[in-house]
């Protein structure tokens, strides 16, 4: 019987390894940028085309490689970072497993140019699907340049699973931002389809954050600093008033490596407890330095998850450091029971001398002369003089006379009222009288109860309003010409580069809803007109909610885009649970819901109302 188990060929093994390392163009960007950082480069340039599907190129001025190293770096498990197994617990570099270049070369056309500073000539290597096509000597500058073209050319199934260019570009942008934020001492530049997206010179940490996210980022940053034997924490968090619904600007770096940690994120949220509204997320850029032997970074293929030796201590230190910073910079309220803020001296009165008050007394004043005024003075007072006069009012002796006849008048009013109600009832038939007593009631500022013939209907006010707004917006976007109200003063809204790319893709669909864009730059938009159903203060809320809902990608066809925008705007603008509604607003909401094409469910496929029959209520009272 022949053997069943066989060794895989190298190119097949590389393609399998590529499935773990290379998931999309952003994975290639991450590996190449980290290699450039490990090469001690001070200037790194990223160039992509078609969101990285056609080309990903990284050029650096690092140490470069010799001829032998240039050939060997494409072999599996070839690395310059570790020599022994113990080295895994004292890593200070990015890549170390020796699979990245081999995996990328297995599923793309790859070209490498490298040269060391002491060498006169460099090496130029071309690889296609793990096969070396050529290797030759070339005149090159110091450093290394990797070009990755036609990603997944030999695995069409993987290529078909890639998302749209907008989604893939956003993932590339995320990876670039993570590496750029981790190393503010390196000059980074980023080009997409020939356009410059970023040009970030070497600078301080705060300026790097402002350079990446632009806008009014500098205004919202609060510094965080704490140093203990376990961890050294530094970085910035945002002020509570700048919190957003999306979780885009949240970064943890451990030993200059970006990580994801739900446990540490919970520590940050605990520090903001009590000063943030529900559903809002703060921005943070936190850098943790810990001993290399206290963490394990080899538990995930992309090395974005880390195992800490003492997570509880890190949690407590991080939460305390952020709380201290928020209080120190007067962002969070401070409780001091021994201090009365009303007694604080204003700054402009701090150094002024107090003036002694003066008392003026009228020595000629006699209060008893008023009751014995001469008649001439009384006359002059009544004619508009400066003297005072008092008129003595005699008390009413017969106060009981004020209530004479009151009982008879009350009886007339009551009898007259009953006569009018009888006349009114005679004007309507029984059904109309029954409808007239029907009223809507609001329960716990969440549900609206309305009687019907068979029993009663209970409406969820938030879901019902979402359904009404959703159908209105969708009708305006697809059939009617959306009305727009012009603003007296245009709105300037600032966003990050990733968010601006998303807004630009949705701009045409937003115009059909009634938005008017006057200007669109790299970090902000100017809006001069808004839909009639939206107030000026709600514009930023609507757009932030839209960005949050489209984090996973923008639908490609227009109908799906319109549907997504209508749902997002309905979610933002619908009346929320806990809002008080007047009786007229309750009636309008109920009538508007049952005028919809599909009143049974909300835009998010949840029931908008339930009905209870009289028979069902009777069963509750049955013995």
């Amino acid at each position: 019987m022949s053997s069943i188990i066989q060794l895989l060929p190298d190119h097949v093994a590389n393609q399998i390894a590529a499935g773990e390392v290379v998931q999309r163009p952003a994975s290639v960007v991450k590996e190449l940028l980290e290699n450039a950082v490990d090469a001690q480069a001070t200037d790194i340039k990223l160039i992509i085309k078609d969101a990285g599907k056609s080309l990903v190129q990284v050029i650096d001025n690092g140490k470069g490689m010799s001829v032998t190293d240039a050939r060997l770096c494409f072999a599996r498990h070839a690395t310059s970072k570790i020599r022994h197994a113990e080295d895994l617990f004292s890593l200070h570099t990015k890549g170390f497993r020796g699979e990245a270049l081999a995996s990328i070369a297995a599923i793309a056309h790859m070209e490498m140019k490298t040269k060391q500073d002491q060498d006169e000539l460099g090496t130029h290597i071309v690889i296609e699907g793990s096969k070396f096509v050529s290797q030759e000597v070339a005149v090159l500058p110091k450093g290394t340049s990797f070009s990755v073209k036609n990603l997944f050319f030999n695995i069409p199934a993987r290529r078909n699973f890639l998302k749209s260019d907008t989604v893939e570009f956003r993932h590339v942008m995320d990876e670039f931002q993570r590496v750029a934020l981790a190393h503010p001492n390196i000059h980074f530049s980023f080009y997409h389809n020939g356009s410059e997206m970023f040009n970030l010179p070497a600078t301080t940490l705060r300026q790097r954050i402002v350079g990446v996210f632009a806008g009014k980022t500098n205004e919202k940053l609060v510094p965080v600093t704490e140093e203990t034997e376990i961890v050294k924490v530094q970085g910035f968090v945002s002020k509570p008033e700048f919190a957003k619904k999306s979780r885009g600007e949240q970064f943890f770096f451990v030993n200059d490596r970006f990580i994801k940690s739900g446990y540490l994120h919970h520590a940050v949220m605990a520090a903001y407890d009590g000063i943030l509204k529900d559903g809002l997320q703060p921005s943070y850029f936190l850098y943790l330095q810990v001993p290399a032997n206290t963490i394990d970074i080899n538990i995930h293929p992309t090395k974005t998850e880390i195992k800490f030796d003492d997570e509880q201590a890190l949690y407590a230190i991080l939460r305390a450091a952020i709380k201290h910073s928020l209080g120190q910079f007067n962002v969070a309220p401070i409780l001091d029971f021994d201090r009365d803020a009303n007694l604080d001296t204003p700054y402009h009165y701090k150094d002024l001398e107090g003036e002694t008050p003066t008392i003026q007394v009228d020595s000629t004043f006699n209060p008893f002369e008023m009751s014995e005024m001469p008649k001439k003075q009384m006359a002059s007072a009544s004619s508009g003089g400066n003297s005072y006069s008092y008129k003595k009012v005699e008390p009413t002796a017969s106060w009981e006379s004020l209530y004479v006849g009151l009982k008879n008048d009350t009886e007339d009013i009551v009898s007259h009222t009953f006569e009018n109600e009888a006349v009114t009832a005679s004007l309507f038939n029984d059904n109309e009288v029954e409808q007239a007593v029907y009223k809507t009631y609001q329960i716990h500022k969440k549900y609206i109860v309305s009687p019907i013939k068979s029993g009663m209907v209970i409406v969820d006010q938030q879901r019902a309003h979402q359904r009404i707004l959703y159908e209105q917006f969708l009708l305006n976007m697809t059939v009617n010409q959306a009305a727009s109200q012009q603003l007296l003063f245009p709105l300037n809204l600032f966003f990050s580069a990733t968010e601006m790319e998303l807004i630009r893709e949705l701009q045409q669909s937003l115009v059909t809803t009634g938005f008017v864009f006057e200007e669109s730059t790299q970090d902000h938009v100017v809006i001069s007109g808004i839909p009639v159903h939206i107030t000026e203060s709600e514009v930023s809320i609507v757009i932030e909610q839209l960005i949050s809902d489209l984090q996973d990608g923008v639908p490609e066809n227009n109908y799906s885009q319109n549907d997504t925008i209508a749902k997002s705007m309905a979610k933002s603008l619908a009346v929320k649970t806990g809002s008080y509604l007047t009786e007229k607003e309750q009636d309008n909401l109920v009538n508007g819901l049952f005028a919809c094409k599909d009143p049974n469910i909300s835009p998010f496929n949840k029931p908008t109302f339930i009905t209870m029959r009289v028979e069902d209520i009777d069963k509750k009272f049955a013995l």
Side-chain angles (χ1 to χ4, degrees), residues 254-503:
V254 176
N255 295 353
D256 295 333
R257 181 191 301 276
F258 171 80
I259 68 160
K260 298 177 181 178
S261 174
Y263 189 70
L264 295 182
H265 172 75
H266 191 274
V268 177
M269 298 303 295
Y272 278 90
D273 188 25
I275 57 176
L276 270 188
K277 295 181 180 179
D278 292 338
L280 295 182
Q281 295 284 335
S283 301
Y284 53 80
F285 310 88
L286 296 171
Y287 297 76
L288 283 67
Q289 293 291 333
V290 298
N293 58 355
T294 63
I295 57 174
D296 184 3
I297 60 179
N298 197 27
I299 62 173
H300 194 273
T302 59
K303 301 182 288 293
T304 56
E305 296 180 10
I306 290 182
K307 178 65 177 176
F308 297 96
D309 282 355
D310 194 350
E311 287 187 334
Q312 288 81 6
L314 283 177
Y315 184 99
I317 293 171
L318 186 61
R319 181 181 62 179
I322 296 174
K323 265 187 173 295
H324 176 71
S325 295
L326 294 176
Q328 183 180 8
F329 290 91
N330 295 326
V331 175
I334 302 174
L335 291 178
D336 188 353
F337 297 102
D338 298 328
R339 170 179 166 271
D340 188 355
N342 295 324
L343 300 180
D344 291 347
T345 304
Y347 288 112
H348 54 283
Y349 287 114
K350 186 176 181 181
D351 299 324
L352 294 180
E353 297 273 336
E355 295 182 0
T356 304
T358 58
I359 302 175
Q360 295 181 356
V361 180
D362 186 3
S363 57
T364 62
F365 176 73
N366 185 359
F368 298 101
E369 291 180 355
M370 294 182 179
S371 60
E372 299 177 358
M373 268 188 186
K375 293 182 178 180
K376 292 182 180 180
Q377 292 182 359
M378 293 286 290
S380 62
S382 61
S383 61
N386 295 328
S387 302
Y388 294 90
S389 63
Y390 294 92
K391 182 180 179 181
K392 187 176 181 181
V393 180
E394 296 293 337
T396 304
S398 55
W399 56 268
E400 295 87 349
S401 62
L402 297 175
Y403 298 93
V404 174
L406 181 61
K407 183 177 181 181
N408 297 332
D409 294 340
T410 305
E411 292 176 352
D412 293 340
I413 293 173
V414 173
S415 61
H416 182 68
T417 303
F418 282 115
E419 290 177 2
N420 287 342
E421 290 183 356
V423 172
T424 304
S426 64
L427 297 177
F428 300 96
N429 54 33
D430 294 339
N431 293 334
E432 290 173 336
V433 172
E434 187 179 0
Q435 292 178 1
V437 298
Y438 279 176
K439 290 181 62 177
T440 57
Y441 300 92
Q442 189 180 27
I443 300 177
H444 294 298
K445 297 181 181 179
K446 184 176 183 180
Y447 301 108
I448 299 174
V449 179
S450 178
I452 55 176
K453 288 184 177 181
S454 60
M456 65 178 177
V457 60
I458 304 175
V459 179
D460 186 309
Q461 64 184 34
Q462 182 173 354
R463 296 179 183 177
H465 200 202
Q466 287 177 354
R467 165 54 63 177
I468 296 170
L469 292 177
Y470 168 71
E471 293 197 3
Q472 286 179 354
F473 288 132
L474 206 58
L475 183 66
N476 291 336
M477 296 166 68
T478 56
V479 180
N480 300 336
Q481 182 72 24
S484 177
Q485 52 180 332
Q486 296 298 311
L487 298 175
L488 184 60
F489 300 102
L491 292 174
N492 289 315
L493 302 179
F494 291 86
F495 300 96
S496 65
T498 307
E499 293 171 342
M500 281 302 305
E501 193 70 22
L502 193 62
I503 291 174

Side-chain angles (χ1 to χ4, degrees), residues 188-226:
F188 286 92
S189 53
F190 180 18
Y191 298 88
H192 180 218
N193 292 338
S195 300
E196 182 181 83
M197 305 304 299
F198 288 101
N199 189 359
L200 307 171
T203 182
T204 62
L205 178 58
R206 188 184 191 109
Q207 291 302 319
R208 174 55 56 89
I209 295 172
V210 174
V212 170
F213 292 100
K216 297 183 178 180
T217 306
N218 193 38
E219 300 177 11
K220 65 182 181 181
L221 296 180
V222 176
V224 178
T225 304
E226 187 67 44

Side-chain angles (χ1 to χ4, degrees), residues 70-72 74-75 125-128 130-135:
R71 183 71 180 242
L72 192 59
F74 291 101
I125 295 178
V126 178
I127 302 178
E128 295 180 0
S130 296
K131 296 180 181 179
F132 282 85
V133 176
S134 66
Q135 177 177 344

Side-chain angles (χ1 to χ4, degrees), residues 22-29 46 48-54 56 151-152 158-176 190 192 498 501-502 505 550-554 556:
V22 183
Q23 300 173 349
R24 55 185 0 129
S27 305
V28 178
V29 171
L46 171 63
I48 65 172
K49 290 183 179 178
D50 301 328
K53 297 177 182 178
S54 300
V56 174
L151 195 64
F152 300 124
R158 291 290 302 275
R159 188 175 181 87
N160 292 335
F161 274 100
L162 293 178
K163 304 294 183 181
S164 64
D165 286 357
T166 304
V167 176
E168 297 299 339
F169 174 73
R170 191 164 72 251
H171 286 288
V172 171
M173 183 92 73
D174 289 341
E175 295 296 344
F176 175 82
F190 180 18
H192 180 218
T498 307
E501 193 70 22
L502 193 62
E505 186 175 359
L550 295 175
Q551 289 293 328
D552 296 331
V554 180
E556 296 184 3

Side-chain angles (χ1 to χ4, degrees), residues 519-587:
E519 184 182 354
S520 177
T521 64
Q522 189 173 354
D523 64 345
H524 76 281
V525 291
V526 180
I527 299 176
S528 59
I530 58 177
V532 293
H533 299 289
I534 300 178
T535 61
E536 186 174 344
S537 60
E538 294 173 332
V539 174
S540 60
I541 299 175
V542 169
I543 296 182
E544 285 181 10
Q545 180 67 55
L546 183 61
I547 293 173
S548 176
D549 292 339
L550 295 175
Q551 289 293 328
D552 296 331
V554 180
E556 296 184 3
N557 57 67
N558 289 334
Y559 177 77
S560 298
Q561 284 188 15
N562 293 339
D563 183 71
T564 304
I565 292 175
K567 287 181 179 178
S568 179
M569 292 175 64
K571 183 194 299 183
S572 303
L573 301 174
V575 60
K576 301 297 186 292
T577 298
S579 301
Y580 171 75
L581 300 179
T582 64
E583 186 176 339
K584 184 175 181 181
E585 290 172 338
Q586 297 172 28
D587 291 337

